[in-house]
Each structure stands twice: as C-alpha cells, then as structure tokens.
C-alpha cells in the first residue's frame, strides 16, 4: 500500500501514475488478471454500497430524540413503494425521521460524493496530487456570493433561505468563468496559468468577503457559521436540487475516466493517443465546478474532503480512474455522513462539520506533503 503511495508521489511532474492497463493499451494481453481485478473491485464496491446504506439508516437514529434502530428501519421501509408495515410508532417520530434527519443524511452523502468526485477530477486534470475543488476559486466565489446573500435580505426581508444558496452557486460559477477566461492563452488553457489565476482571484475574493463581513452587522454570525459548513438546516428542497445535479455531473465525469487515465501520461502523449486535451479540460472543469457549486451552495465550505478521499482510494484500489471515481463517490459519502454524526454527538452543542473534516484532513495533507518533500529533496 505504501509502495503505491511512493510510486505516484515520486513522479517529478506531480502527475499520478496509472498502468498501461488503465489506459486500455495492453488490456487484451492480461485478460485473466484483469478479470480478477475487476471482480475484486466490483465486490469491494458492493460492500461499500451496502455499508453506505446501513450507515445512512444508522445515522437517522442519532439525534436529541432517541429512536431505536428497528423503528427507524420500519419507518424507512414503510416509505418504499409496495411495502406496508404496521405502524408501531407515533406520527411525531415518523416526522423526525422523514422530514428532519433523512434529508440531512442524504444531503451529507450527496455533498460527500460531489466533493470527492470533483477532487479526483481536478487532481487528474491538473496532474497534481494536492489539487482540490477549491483550487481555482470555487470556495472563495461561493463565500462571497453567500456573504452578499446574507446582507441583501436586509433590503428584501423574507427571502433569506432562497437568496443565500443561489448567490453562493452563482458566485462559484462566475468565479470559475473569470479564472478560465484569465488563464486562456489562445485556444489552450495552460494548467499552471489556470492554478495561478485561481489563487490570485481567490485571494482577491477573500479580501472582499472580509470587507462584507465587516459591514454585515448582525448577519456576521450567519456568514461565519455558513463558511464553516453545516447540515443542521438541511431540507428536502435542497436535496431535490443538489441530488440530480451531483448525480448527473458525476455520471458525466465517469464517462471520461479512460481519458483521465491517458492524460496522466502527459498532454503531448494524450494528444498523440487521440484525446482532445483542451476540450477535455473545458468539459470536466465545467462538470466538476457545477457539482461543487451545487454542494457548497446549501451547506457552506467543507474543506479537505476533495483531497483526502481520492488519495485514500488510490492507496487502497489504485489510480485507475475507471475505479477511482466511483470508489471516491462511495467513500466520500461514507466519510461525510460519519463526520456529520461526529459533529452532532461529540460535544453538547453541534460543531460545524468543516472543523471535523479539517481536523481529519489537515494531518493527512501534511503527511502527503512531508512524504512528497522527502522524495523530491
């Protein structure tokens, strides 16, 4: 396992190494071995999916009102079509499960999928293991949009819950559009220029966020709480918007998994193998940004998920994007549901989930950085 980590950390270009099998170049010569690998990984996916469903059911039992696991399963199964279970629970218990806890758990899973898949995509496109969904200013743009959204309701009272996520999503998308335009050189988008433009624009936006916070008055608590991330106000209406965007965007990215494998060989070699690199960058950057914007617009900025989950998946199942992307989606959902459980049980009052993910992600990030430094220097 550690050998796999060293293999892609030792790549001087920062790209993540993939085997010729992953690019499809020599698949026909190793079909028995490949069949075993595919079967093993598909079984692992089935186990993870089963674990995710069980964890989601368990997470709905946790809260200020204790509800037995059997009662929770009964309520959840009763919601499925063609299944009728004799009701042994009160209407208030059913409301707590179906209207408060279930949308929260599902939204946590959806956001985990979005950030993990987007992180793996950015790392593949930039061929940089330290890239994450916020590298080109998505988080900073969403934060500025949300901060403005919190301030504007003083002019339009009663629209707080609709304006903030809309402004956050618009802020993220407009920021990426600006960064993309600034980084464009002719028909090409150099990765280094894209990253530098993202860092510069992100710094500018954070300065604007700080200014908005200073003039926000009594809205400052809401802005700061949003920026730390939370699922405490999750609703079905948010799930109904975020879920289709994230599923459609992730499925679209999955279609380009083999192209992501090939681009790890280098842009020049990818072009020789028939990959339209610039078109691939545009399509995948758009898809990854959309699912990230859909995720952060409702729950705030949740860091490190897009970094640590793809790396953890690579350590266990390898760097083949045909498996890396679906595994990242499943592990990301499990991780964020677990982090949400911790955030609402570890202390008397709920802790913003961004703190939990940072406490897990920062040491892992430093570990990666340290390993990389030891290899390069």
């Amino acid at each position: 396992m550690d050998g796999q980590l060293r293999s892609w950390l030792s790549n001087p270009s920062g790209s993540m190494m993939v085997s010729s099998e992953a690019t499809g170049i020599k698949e026909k010569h190793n079909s028995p071995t490949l069949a075993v690998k595919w079967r093993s990984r598909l079984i692992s996916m089935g186990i993870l999916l089963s674990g995710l469903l069980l964890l989601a059911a368990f997470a709905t039992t946790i809260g200020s009102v204790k509800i037995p696991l059997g009662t929770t399963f009964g309520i959840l199964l009763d919601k499925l079509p063609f299944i009728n279970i004799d009701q042994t629970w009160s209407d208030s218990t059913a409301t707590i499960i179906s209207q408060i806890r279930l949308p929260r758990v599902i939204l946590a899973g959806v956001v985990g999928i979005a950030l993990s898949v987007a992180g793996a995509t950015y790392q593949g496109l930039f061929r940089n293991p330290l890239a994450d969904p916020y590298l080109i200013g998505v988080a900073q743009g969403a934060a500025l949009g949300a901060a403005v959204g919190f301030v504007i309701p003083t002019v339009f009272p009663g629209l707080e819950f609709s304006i903030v996520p809309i402004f956050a999503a618009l802020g993220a998308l407009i920021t990426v559009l600006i960064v993309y335009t600034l980084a464009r050189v002719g028909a090409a988008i150099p990765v280094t220029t894209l990253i530098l433009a993202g860092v510069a624009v992100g710094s500018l936006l954070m300065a604007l966020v700080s200014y908005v916070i200073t003039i926000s008055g009594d809205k400052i608590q809401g802005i700061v709480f949003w920026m730390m991330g939370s699922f405490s106000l999750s609703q079905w209406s948010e799930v109904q918007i975020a879920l289709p965007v994230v599923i459609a965007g992730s499925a679209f990215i999955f279609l380009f998994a083999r192209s992501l494998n090939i681009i790890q060989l280098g842009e020049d070699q990818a072009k020789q193998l028939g990959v339209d690199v610039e078109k691939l960058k545009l399509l995948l950057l758009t898809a990854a940004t959309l699912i990230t914007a859909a995720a952060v617009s409702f729950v705030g900025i949740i860091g490190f998920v897009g970094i640590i989950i793809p790396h953890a998946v690579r350590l266990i199942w390898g760097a083949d994007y045909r498996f890396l992307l679906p595994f990242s989606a499943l592990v990301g959902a499990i991780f964020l549901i677990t982090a949400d459980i911790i955030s609402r049980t570890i202390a008397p009052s709920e802790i913003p989930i961004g703190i939990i993910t940072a406490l897990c992600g920062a040491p892992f990030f430093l570990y990666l950085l340290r390993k990389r430094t030891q290899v390069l220097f």
Side-chain angles (χ1 to χ4, degrees), residues 201-237:
V201 172
S203 298
L204 174 63
L205 294 178
M206 285 311 295
L208 295 175
V209 170
S210 300
Y211 174 72
V212 174
I213 290 176
T214 60
I215 63 171
S216 60
D218 60 352
K219 301 294 183 182
I220 186 171
Q221 184 176 0
I223 296 174
V224 173
F225 192 75
W226 184 91
M227 291 179 67
M228 291 191 291
S230 175
F231 293 102
S232 60
L233 300 177
S234 302
Q235 303 175 13
W236 277 116
S237 59

Side-chain angles (χ1 to χ4, degrees), residues 187-337:
I189 313 168
V191 170
T192 303
T193 308
L194 188 66
I195 294 175
L196 291 175
V199 171
V201 172
S203 298
L204 174 63
L205 294 178
M206 285 311 295
L208 295 175
V209 170
S210 300
Y211 174 72
V212 174
I213 290 176
T214 60
I215 63 171
S216 60
D218 60 352
K219 301 294 183 182
I220 186 171
Q221 184 176 0
I223 296 174
V224 173
F225 192 75
W226 184 91
M227 291 179 67
M228 291 191 291
S230 175
F231 293 102
S232 60
L233 300 177
S234 302
Q235 303 175 13
W236 277 116
S237 59
E238 298 171 348
V239 175
Q240 290 168 353
I241 295 173
L243 181 62
V245 174
V246 171
I247 296 300
S250 300
F252 181 79
I253 293 172
F254 291 171
L255 296 176
F256 293 92
R258 185 170 175 272
S259 297
L260 280 170
N261 282 337
I262 295 175
I263 204 172
Q264 304 312 304
L265 303 173
E267 292 190 10
D268 291 338
Q269 191 162 350
K271 290 175 182 175
Q272 293 174 0
L273 292 171
V275 177
D276 188 337
V277 174
E278 300 306 325
K279 183 179 180 182
L280 181 69
K281 287 179 187 175
L282 177 61
L283 291 175
L284 295 188
L285 278 177
T286 302
T289 301
L290 280 174
I291 62 176
T292 304
V296 302
S297 60
F298 292 114
V299 301
I301 299 172
I302 301 174
F304 289 104
V305 178
I307 289 182
I308 62 176
I309 298 302
H311 285 310
V313 170
R314 280 191 193 91
L315 291 174
I316 300 173
W317 291 288
D320 185 344
Y321 275 82
R322 294 172 297 180
F323 296 101
L324 176 61
L325 291 171
F327 272 123
S328 294
L330 291 170
V331 177
I334 291 173
F335 174 75
L336 216 48
I337 291 175

